[in-house]
């Protein structure tokens, strides 16, 4: 039934082993009862041993339960880029007890499943499209319309920026030293990093060509000499 429901093979093997062990214990106890051997003490002993083992392995059992939930509900699969338990990377392997992530700087991170399931999971690969949120800061003396036209031209001319949903440029805030424009192109998830980098580069180059200043925070220090 689980195979027909396309449940993960690791979950199927785990449930199969659990059922097998449980039925084996039940059959042995039933056989001893049929042979006239009192099994009350044995049953109590097994129950006590189960409680002791459960307390000793509570962390491992927590990871196991979390692993079963991950494999059943599939918040991510192998190959997805996720952020979970304070770590971000590509999912390399999902097992009953842990999830193995491969970070962008080529580090292998083994994350216990209980830590994953108890925190927020951000799956950056779940959807085919992503919006890229950028901020373009221009000086108060600059023309917002001219800056918006340049930004729209950058995005509409980029081959990897999608026409639908359409890119947008809006005034985000009037900051202390600049007018901040929200630049929001859309791209395929696989092209996200490339589009973000190239649009940022073109923003700087095109603003320089047009003479539009991009101010940065600065302070004026006045030194007063005592009389």
């Amino acid at each position: 039934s689980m195979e027909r429901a396309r449940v993960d093979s690791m979950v199927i093997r785990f449930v199969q082993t659990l059922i097998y062990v449980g039925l084996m214990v039940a059959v042995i106890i039933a056989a001893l009862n049929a042979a006239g051997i009192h099994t009350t003490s044995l049953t109590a002993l097994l129950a006590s041993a189960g409680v002791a083992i459960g307390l000793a392995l509570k962390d491992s059992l927590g990871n196991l339960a979390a692993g079963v939930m991950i494999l059943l509900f599939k918040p991510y699969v192998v190959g997805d880029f996720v952020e979970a338990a304070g770590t971000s990377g590509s999912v390399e392997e999902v097992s009953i007890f842990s999830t193995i992530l491969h970070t962008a700087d080529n580090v292998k991170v083994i994350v216990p499943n209980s830590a994953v399931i108890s925190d927020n999971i951000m799956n950056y690969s779940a959807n085919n499209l992503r919006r890229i949120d950028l901020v373009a800061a221009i000086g108060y003396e600059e023309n917002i319309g001219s800056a918006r036209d340049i930004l729209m031209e950058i995005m509409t001319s980029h081959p990897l920026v999608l026409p639908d949903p359409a890119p947008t440029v809006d005034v985000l805030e009037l900051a202390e030293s600049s007018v901040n424009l929200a630049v929001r192109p859309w791209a395929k998830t696989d092209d996200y990093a490339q589009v973000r980098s190239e649009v940022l580069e073109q923003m700087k180059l095109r603003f320089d060509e047009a003479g539009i200043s991009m101010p940065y925070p600065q302070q004026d220090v006045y030194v007063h000499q005592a009389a």
Side-chain angles (χ1 to χ4, degrees):
S1 297
M2 296 177 73
E3 287 177 352
R4 286 196 297 271
R6 296 183 179 180
V7 177
D8 191 276
S9 60
M10 189 172 295
V11 177
I12 295 176
R13 289 196 300 270
F14 170 73
V15 173
Q16 183 179 2
T17 302
L18 195 64
I19 293 174
Y20 175 81
V21 173
L23 289 176
M24 185 63 70
V25 172
V27 168
I28 291 174
I29 293 175
L32 292 175
N33 279 328
I37 301 174
H38 295 290
T39 58
T40 305
S41 300
L42 178 61
T43 304
L45 179 62
L46 290 175
S48 300
V51 172
I53 293 173
L55 291 174
L57 300 177
K58 62 178 182 178
D59 293 336
S60 297
L61 293 175
N63 287 327
L64 188 147
V68 171
M69 291 179 63
I70 291 172
L71 292 171
L72 282 176
F73 297 108
K74 295 185 182 298
Y76 52 79
V77 295
V78 173
D80 285 352
F81 189 88
V82 302
E83 182 179 339
T87 304
S88 59
S90 298
V91 180
E92 190 174 287
E93 181 182 343
V94 183
S95 66
I96 288 291
F97 292 99
S98 63
T99 295
I100 299 177
L101 300 179
H102 192 86
T103 64
D105 55 346
N106 202 30
V107 176
K108 180 179 181 179
V109 182
I110 301 174
V111 185
N113 284 331
S114 58
V116 173
I117 209 70
S118 63
D119 201 355
N120 294 333
I121 302 173
M122 298 181 65
N123 189 339
Y124 295 101
S125 304
N127 299 315
N128 295 326
L129 307 180
R130 285 189 63 186
R131 191 183 74 181
I132 304 169
D133 293 331
L134 304 174
V135 176
I138 62 174
Y140 272 93
E141 69 280 1
E142 305 298 343
N143 186 284
I144 295 177
S146 299
R148 179 185 284 112
D149 292 341
I150 292 174
L151 293 171
M152 287 299 298
E153 184 182 349
I154 291 172
M155 292 186 290
T156 55
S157 63
H158 196 290
L160 297 180
V161 173
L162 300 175
D164 186 25
T168 59
V169 178
D170 303 297
V171 176
L172 181 63
E173 64 174 339
L174 302 178
E176 293 182 359
S177 58
S178 64
V179 178
N180 294 338
L181 304 179
V183 184
R184 299 187 177 106
W186 285 79
K188 293 182 179 179
T189 301
D190 294 339
D191 300 329
Y192 177 89
Q194 179 181 351
V195 172
R196 187 180 190 279
S197 175
E198 292 178 354
V199 170
L200 278 174
E201 180 180 354
Q202 286 299 312
M203 283 167 50
K204 178 65 169 65
L205 295 176
R206 294 291 299 277
F207 277 4
D208 287 346
E209 291 177 1
I212 297 177
S213 64
M214 301 179 69
Y216 48 87
Q218 55 184 332
Q219 291 181 335
D220 294 332
V221 179
Y222 298 92
V223 180
H224 298 277
Q225 186 175 1

